[in-house]
Amino acid sequence: MFTLRRKDIIFTLLFLCLYIMYYLFLTYIDKQERFNELSNGFYSNHHAVLMNNGDNDWVETELSQSSYRLFIEYNDTYRFFKDHNSDWSPPIESGRFFTHEEKKPVAVIGREMLEYAKDSNGAKRVSFNGENYEVIGIMGASFASPVDYLILLYQPDQTPLTPDMRIIIDSDNKSTVTEITENLIKKFPMLTLIESTQKGLSRTANIPFLYRLLIFEFYLLLFLSVLAFIRYWYESEKKKLYILFIMGIAKNKIIRQLFFKVFMYITVPGVMMFLFISIFDSGSFFKQMIWIVILFLISAWSLLSLFLRAASSSKGGAISK
């Protein structure tokens, strides 16, 4: 009943353009968040800072089933890093970042700290608290940042503790940080929550407000674009639908064909984007693209249902009882 026409190809390309625009938006947001994180010393805007007043039992406690990052700040340079179910890593200029398979004390240092590392048995090493850490990676972004002057330490099954250290809880999700912080303070009263200090872009700009505003405006633009495309396509199909109805073709069959076409318009370019992301972007935005395809389908089908219902109730609609 419905055949592939040039107009169908055009609509498929239009949705492909929407997906490309969404992918570029995700890339932009990711770079902005990374820049904000680097300027803030590796921390998100919603990180929590705790002070330890003598009780160290929390060290061996699994804080949450959700992914999170734990930093222990000893001073402005040295930090210990522990990771839980997170794929976070700083920008690595050379070498590699820590893995859970490490068997010895290792360090990743900023590029400006390389001159302070000592050569030992053919490897670079840094010392902290009487322990030598082998340098396995050099951190550094494409621009100068506080990361260049930091040293991240990692030691399997052991966490160096000092009296004046600060405990930093961070995660991609603010709710995870809040959950961990509340549970820790409740379980270990010797831990004290203190006010965090924002640095870099977090201190000079109202990032949370701008971020939410940008997200809202972009999704509004996507929704209005889907609305415009579906409305234009429906108006261009009304005459044909009316003729099909006059010919005696069942209303349900016509509607099924309509929804199938909309499904193809949205899913075919979606599959193309999935292939592109999985091949060229290591699947970093795969989950977000799945959600946008689902949202496009729900929005398009809802709008099409409204248009069909309006047409059915109007006297001159394309489909009438």
Side-chain angles (χ1 to χ4, degrees):
M1 184 171 61
F2 289 99
T3 58
L4 185 65
R5 295 173 295 172
R6 185 174 63 178
K7 183 170 61 176
D8 298 321
I9 298 175
I10 292 174
F11 273 101
T12 301
L13 292 176
L14 286 174
F15 276 100
L16 179 61
C17 290
L18 285 182
Y19 287 131
I20 293 174
M21 185 170 65
Y22 180 67
Y23 172 77
L24 294 176
F25 176 75
L26 289 177
T27 304
Y28 169 77
I29 289 295
D30 183 68
K31 289 182 178 179
Q32 288 298 107
E33 289 181 344
R34 176 64 67 150
F35 177 76
N36 179 47
E37 186 180 84
L38 293 178
S39 67
N40 199 27
F42 285 147
Y43 307 143
S44 67
N45 292 313
H46 49 260
H47 72 276
V49 184
L50 299 167
M51 291 295 294
N52 185 27
N53 297 316
D55 188 352
N56 296 324
D57 293 339
W58 62 270
V59 175
E60 304 303 327
T61 303
E62 185 174 326
L63 306 182
S64 174
Q65 295 298 318
S66 303
S67 63
Y68 65 88
R69 303 179 289 276
L70 172 67
F71 296 88
I72 298 179
E73 284 189 5
Y74 303 111
N75 51 45
D76 292 337
T77 301
Y78 287 90
R79 298 179 186 178
F80 192 84
F81 174 77
K82 296 185 74 172
D83 172 80
H84 179 83
N85 293 340
S86 173
D87 56 359
W88 181 90
S89 69
I92 299 296
E93 194 172 83
S94 62
R96 61 180 179 84
F97 193 54
F98 311 131
T99 66
H100 293 289
E101 286 74 36
E102 304 293 346
K103 303 297 182 183
K104 57 186 177 181
V106 290
V108 174
I109 66 176
R111 55 189 167 201
E112 297 296 334
M113 305 305 294
L114 186 59
E115 61 181 291
Y116 299 101
K118 299 179 180 179
D119 289 309
S120 176
N121 297 325
K124 294 283 188 180
R125 300 182 187 274
V126 293
S127 298
F128 177 76
N129 207 26
E131 183 77 60
N132 288 325
Y133 294 79
E134 181 181 343
V135 177
I136 62 172
I138 308 298
M139 298 183 291
S142 58
F143 50 88
S145 71
V147 172
D148 300 339
Y149 300 91
L150 295 179
I151 296 178
L152 288 182
L153 308 173
Y154 178 79
Q155 190 171 355
D157 303 324
Q158 188 174 345
T159 304
L161 303 175
T162 61
D164 55 348
M165 66 184 184
R166 296 177 4 135
I167 306 157
I168 314 296
I169 307 295
D170 205 357
S171 172
D172 295 334
N173 298 316
K174 183 177 180 179
S175 58
T176 301
V177 175
T178 303
E179 171 206 340
I180 292 175
T181 304
E182 292 176 350
N183 292 340
L184 269 177
I185 294 177
K186 188 182 299 182
K187 193 171 182 179
F188 303 101
M190 296 297 288
L191 295 175
T192 305
L193 179 67
I194 64 174
E195 185 177 356
S196 61
T197 302
Q198 301 292 336
K199 302 175 183 178
L201 191 61
S202 298
R203 183 179 62 185
T204 57
N206 192 352
I207 297 302
F209 171 75
L210 293 176
Y211 179 79
R212 287 194 294 268
L213 181 62
L214 183 63
I215 294 290
F216 172 77
E217 290 180 344
F218 184 78
Y219 278 103
L220 179 62
L221 175 63
L222 283 181
F223 176 76
L224 293 177
S225 299
V226 173
L227 172 64
F229 291 165
I230 296 300
R231 181 67 187 186
Y232 175 78
W233 173 77
Y234 172 74
E235 291 296 333
S236 67
E237 293 286 325
K238 283 180 71 173
K239 283 186 178 179
K240 183 178 179 181
L241 297 177
Y242 181 71
I243 293 173
L244 291 174
F245 177 75
I246 295 297
M247 291 172 60
I249 298 176
K251 174 184 173 183
N252 289 336
K253 186 175 181 180
I254 297 174
I255 292 176
R256 282 199 303 270
Q257 290 290 330
L258 283 175
F259 280 97
F260 177 75
K261 271 210 168 183
V262 172
F263 179 80
M264 296 302 297
Y265 290 155
I266 294 175
T267 55
V268 169
V271 171
M272 295 169 63
M273 286 302 301
F274 292 152
L275 292 174
F276 173 82
I277 292 173
S278 61
I279 295 173
F280 297 102
D281 196 32
S282 302
S284 57
F285 299 129
F286 200 83
K287 186 183 295 184
Q288 292 94 324
M289 289 304 302
I290 291 177
W291 278 112
I292 201 65
V293 170
I294 294 174
L295 288 174
F296 274 15
L297 283 172
I298 294 174
S299 300
W301 284 351
S302 299
L303 291 170
L304 185 57
S305 298
L306 289 175
F307 296 153
L308 290 172
R309 190 176 294 114
S312 297
S313 60
S314 63
K315 206 170 192 180
I319 301 176
S320 61
K321 294 180 180 177

